[in-house]
């Protein structure tokens, strides 16, 4: 799939890609000045300051490069001794609250004897039993927008999501980056529900054993401690049964959807292998902003969006009240579970629509012309007969553009979605019939080169133009030779 920045993700054979400290890299493809480039980069970190792995496809993956990244892996990733951490956690649990501390500087639970050696650090003292079982309320959120982007569900939303799962008959929850759900299930419904947390944040090792937490990269389905992590996850799936397991995921909003879908599909395959008689796909709840709906549905057409507005404790806009967004949080739940099985809290104003057979928000009115409850952003949409669909109430129909848009828009700015190459709807550039014919593709490249030369020549910069002209001509001749070879 091609993103808004023109970069495509290629996921075929990802497990065989070169690895950075965060697991197998992803193969990306982009086109610059008509030239296609493919390269491998980190699956998790979009900022090269966090992980600067970069390898062009076709470049040799030498033993020296492998050794370099093995060294980098040891430098970037913390050393984890699960047995030692487990013993330490048991020791911490047995002592009184007044003798427990947590060092944020070292990401370490402390006893009173160890406290003095962390005197100059950022430390929280008197860790209660509740805090030990709710570590997301102790640890400071990691808020790198291009890496973890760690925002945490408000208690009301956490409870609502778990209630939905229970109503749908879910009794085992695989939480991928949703620690508040994991904590709530373990604290409130441990008698008849189970939960396993898969998260990119290694700090949870301090608070959970290997049957409760696995260090995981959701963008390439990679367990950092593969032998332990993958084994624990598969065992959790095996015990969960055929149709009582669901994935609940709250990934960073800036991440690409395609790698996440790849991971969910891999987990679905693992579960299907363990339960061959399972009916349908593995249940999934994917928490993402409503405006990402086209991207999610394009990657996973079986999903539908619920009206429930998910609130966060530590996000300035994704919450209710005077501090939040005017129309409530824009974050929604996308799921492949039948919406009629997922009741939304009536005390928050949600109601059941008999026509749509699903729960909707108070402002979402059923449109009989569209045969649907159409609102998405927290406002009541209005139907436009000319567009034959419901639109945002702030939009007006424009005769020039022949569609509804904001009143102060500039006519002609709207362009129908379609192919960037041939400008026709119904397909993307990568699937364009023009690209399937190599001669046509090369011809298009030659035309672009000629056009570029013509523009440069008219600028009067003869010295620069001549150099670029010669380069373009050589490239053009090279393409012709390649065409002739293919014809022969």
């Amino acid at each position: 799939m091609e993103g808004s920045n023109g970069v495509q993700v290629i996921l075929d054979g990802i497990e065989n890609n070169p690895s950075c400290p965060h697991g197998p890299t992803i193969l990306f493809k982009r086109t610059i000045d008509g030239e296609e480039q493919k390269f491998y980069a980190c699956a998790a970190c979009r900022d090269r300051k966090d992980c600067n792995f970069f390898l062009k496809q076709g470049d040799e993956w030498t033993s020296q490069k492998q050794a370099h990244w093995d060294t980098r892996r040891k430098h970037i990733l913390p050393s984890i001794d699960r047995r030692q951490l487990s013993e330490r956690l048991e020791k911490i649990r047995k002592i009184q609250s007044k003798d427990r501390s947590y060092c944020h500087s070292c990401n370490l639970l402390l006893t009173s004897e160890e406290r003095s050696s962390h005197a100059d650090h950022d430390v929280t003292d008197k860790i209660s039993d509740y805090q030990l079982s709710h570590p997301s309320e102790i640890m400071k959120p990691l808020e790198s927008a291009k890496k973890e982007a760690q925002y945490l569900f408000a208690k009301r939303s956490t409870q609502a999501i778990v209630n939905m799962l229970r109503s749908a008959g879910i009794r085992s929850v695989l939480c991928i980056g949703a620690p508040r759900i994991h904590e709530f299930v373990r604290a409130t419904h441990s008698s008849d529900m189970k939960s396993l947390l898969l998260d990119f944040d290694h700090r949870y090792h301090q608070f959970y054993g290997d049957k409760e937490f696995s260090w995981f990269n959701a963008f390439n389905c990679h367990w950092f401690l593969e032998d332990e992590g993958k084994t624990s996850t598969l065992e959790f799936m095996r015990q969960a049964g055929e149709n009582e397991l669901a994935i609940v995921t709250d990934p960073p909003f800036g991440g690409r959807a395609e790698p996440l879908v790849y991971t969910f599909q891999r987990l679905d395959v693992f579960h299907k292998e363990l339960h061959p008689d399972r009916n349908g796909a593995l249940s999934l709840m994917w928490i993402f902003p409503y405006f990402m709906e086209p991207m999610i549905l394009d990657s996973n057409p079986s999903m539908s969006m619920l009206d429930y507005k998910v609130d966060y404790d530590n996000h300035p806009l994704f919450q209710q009240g005077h501090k939040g967004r005017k129309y409530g949080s824009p974050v929604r739940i996308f799921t492949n579970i039948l919406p009629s099985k997922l009741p939304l809290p009536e005390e928050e104003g949600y109601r059941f629509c008999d026509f749509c057979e699903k729960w909707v928000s108070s402002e979402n009115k059923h449109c009989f012309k569209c045969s649907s409850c159409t609102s998405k952003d927290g406002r009541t949409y209005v139907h436009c007969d000319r567009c034959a669909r419901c639109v945002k109430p702030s939009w007006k129909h424009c005769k020039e553009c022949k569609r509804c848009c904001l009143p102060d828009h500039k006519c002609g700015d709207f362009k129908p979605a379609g192919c960037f190459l041939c400008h026709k709807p119904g397909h993307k550039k990568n699937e364009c019939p023009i690209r399937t014919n190599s001669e046509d593709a090369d011809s298009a490249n030659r035309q672009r080169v000629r056009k570029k030369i013509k523009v440069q020549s008219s600028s009067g910069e003869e010295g620069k133009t001549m150099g670029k002209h010669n380069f373009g001509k050589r490239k053009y001749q090279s393409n012709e030779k390649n065409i002739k070879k293919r014809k022969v």
Side-chain angles (χ1 to χ4, degrees), residues 398-458:
C398 174
K399 294 181 180 179
E400 294 292 328
C401 297
K402 297 181 180 179
R403 58 164 291 169
C404 285
C405 43
L406 288 170
D408 59 351
H409 76 285
K410 183 179 179 181
C411 291
D413 280 354
F414 287 106
K415 295 181 180 179
C419 177
F420 180 77
L421 193 61
C422 71
H423 307 294
K424 293 181 180 179
H427 64 274
K428 297 295 184 182
K429 179 180 69 174
N430 196 45
E431 301 167 343
C432 183
I434 294 177
R435 292 177 64 91
T436 62
N437 188 315
S438 59
E439 292 186 26
D440 287 346
D442 285 335
S443 176
N445 285 334
R446 292 197 296 272
Q447 290 175 6
R448 281 194 291 271
V449 171
R450 287 170 178 164
K451 185 176 180 181
K452 187 175 181 181
I453 293 169
K454 185 176 180 180
V455 171
Q456 291 169 342
S457 298
S458 63

Side-chain angles (χ1 to χ4, degrees), residues 59-70:
D59 286 359
E60 185 180 0
W61 181 245
T62 63
S63 57
Q64 290 84 356
K65 291 179 181 178
Q66 181 68 57
H68 167 76
W69 280 102
D70 286 343

Side-chain angles (χ1 to χ4, degrees), residues 268-283:
D268 182 86
V269 169
F270 293 149
H271 186 257
K272 183 68 174 178
E273 290 174 348
L274 293 168
H275 302 283
D277 297 329
R278 186 193 72 194
N279 296 322
L282 183 60
S283 297

Side-chain angles (χ1 to χ4, degrees), residues 8 63 126 131 156 175 215 300 305 365 395 479 488:
Q8 292 178 273
S63 57
K126 298 181 180 179
Q131 288 175 311
R156 176 174 56 189
C175 299
W215 191 13
N300 197 337
M305 187 177 77
K365 308 300 182 184
W395 288 17
N479 284 336
V488 173

